[in-house]
Amino acid sequence: HQKMSTPSSFQPVRPPRTSLMYTLPIRRLRDILGHVVPGVTLISVEEIPSTRLPRLYHLNLSDGEQLLLSFAPSLAVKLLRHEQTLLSSEAALIHFLSCLIRPVLAKSPPSSLSSTGSEVSRAVDLSRLVPVMVKHSSNPREMGYPYTLFEPGVGEPLSDLSIYLSRPEQR
């Protein structure tokens, strides 16, 4: 037997690990964004690690803005009956809350926004917590899966902060 010598700089090529991002239909997503946010193009997509059923992605746009994409789980994931409508239920709740908040904010002059204890200040506080939904679709023909686009929320995700927090602070 004669051993073949290989150059020391040669490294076997390993295929990259597949990510859930490869199941994301980027071309369709670009088309949808072209209709939702005209004149802006998709620059990059970053998967957000999450324990939630929906997959989450940051969409970086050409104008420097970001959107958050909440995307249904892969078809390989068997969902319980109540989990199958999770994205639609979330979108309906956010739409409902937004409809409650908007009329209160629209009726009040800007000077009354600083008053404490009033319906307006409660609406302002709630408006900071309710995500702004840009688009929701449950139509599987559009992207293959239900999805929702949001404007990014304020604050830091707990998953980013948890390494700096003690157990009691995490609770």
Side-chain angles (χ1 to χ4, degrees):
H1 281 282
Q2 191 176 24
K3 262 189 168 176
M4 292 186 70
S5 62
T6 58
S8 61
S9 64
F10 176 76
Q11 293 292 324
V13 177
R14 292 183 188 164
R17 281 202 256 166
T18 57
S19 165
L20 290 176
M21 193 172 102
Y22 291 111
T23 63
L24 186 64
I26 299 293
R27 182 177 291 152
R28 286 185 191 165
L29 182 57
R30 283 189 173 133
D31 292 341
I32 290 166
L33 285 172
H35 295 292
V36 174
V37 190
V40 177
T41 56
L42 179 64
I43 300 296
S44 66
V45 176
E46 298 168 20
E47 186 175 350
I48 302 170
S50 174
T51 58
R52 295 180 53 202
L53 272 175
R55 295 173 283 175
L56 299 173
Y57 299 91
H58 274 136
L59 306 179
N60 298 306
L61 306 177
S62 61
D63 64 354
E65 295 294 321
Q66 264 190 350
L67 291 177
L68 177 68
L69 172 66
S70 181
F71 201 58
S74 157
L75 292 176
V77 176
K78 284 288 192 190
L79 299 176
L80 299 173
R81 202 172 308 132
H82 75 277
E83 293 171 330
Q84 293 174 358
T85 59
L86 187 63
L87 284 177
S88 296
S89 299
E90 180 182 56
L93 177 63
I94 289 171
H95 177 74
F96 173 76
L97 291 173
S98 297
C99 288
L100 286 178
I101 295 167
R102 273 191 223 119
V104 172
L105 294 176
K107 281 192 263 180
S108 62
S111 61
S112 69
L113 293 179
S114 61
S115 64
T116 57
S118 71
E119 182 181 349
V120 173
S121 68
R122 284 192 299 274
V124 168
D125 291 344
L126 187 58
S127 71
R128 291 183 185 132
L129 300 175
V130 177
V132 176
M133 186 169 46
V134 177
K135 179 172 176 46
H136 170 75
S137 176
S138 293
N139 183 353
R141 291 182 190 159
E142 198 169 346
M143 272 207 358
Y145 300 97
Y147 70 92
T148 309
L149 285 170
F150 297 101
E151 289 182 5
V154 296
E156 293 290 323
L158 184 58
S159 59
D160 291 349
L161 298 176
S162 62
I163 59 173
Y164 303 109
L165 302 175
S166 67
R167 286 278 183 212
E169 288 173 326
Q170 287 179 17
R171 281 191 208 112

